[in-house]
Amino acid sequence: PTQQQRRQNLIKKLIIGLVLVGFVVFVIVDSLSNQYVRSGIDSFLAWIEENPAPGFFLFMVVYLFATVLFVPGSILTLGAGFVFANAFGLGVGVLLGALSVYFGA
């Protein structure tokens, strides 16, 4: 690669890194103040409870991105167990919640 291509690759990596660091800082500050992320997660979990079949698969995808972006996983994990237990009963619900967290992470 030429000098200009290396410089462009470095700039792209720096921009992606800064965006990710900015998002992590936002999540940390938000968790200490407004809790917009938490309210969004709560709304998402309520939707899953109303739509359990597509919610199972969508939850895996959301959990994957939440893990990468450092969104607090404990809220999602506990929420999955609670929501799927309400939708399918305790035994099947906890099993589905654990599977979705396992495959999502």
Side-chain angles (χ1 to χ4, degrees):
T2 67
Q3 179 76 14
Q4 186 172 359
Q5 287 174 332
R6 282 191 291 240
R7 180 174 290 181
Q8 287 176 345
N9 288 339
L10 178 63
I11 290 172
K12 287 178 187 177
K13 289 178 184 179
L14 284 173
I15 290 172
I16 291 171
L18 287 173
V19 168
L20 289 176
V21 167
F23 187 78
V24 169
V25 169
F26 169 76
V27 169
I28 291 170
V29 170
D30 182 64
S31 69
L32 299 173
S33 59
N34 300 328
Q35 297 188 351
Y36 292 125
V37 174
R38 183 181 178 132
S39 65
I41 291 171
D42 290 341
S43 298
F44 176 65
L45 292 174
W47 179 85
I48 290 175
E49 191 170 355
E50 295 169 6
N51 306 288
F56 174 76
F57 295 104
L58 187 59
F59 185 83
M60 284 190 285
V61 174
V62 168
Y63 200 90
L64 173 90
F65 286 111
T67 302
V68 171
L69 296 174
F70 299 108
V71 173
S74 59
I75 297 170
L76 284 171
T77 303
L78 293 172
F82 178 75
V83 167
F84 287 123
N86 281 345
F88 293 105
L90 184 61
V92 174
V94 170
L95 177 66
L96 286 175
L99 286 174
S100 65
V101 168
Y102 175 74
F103 289 117

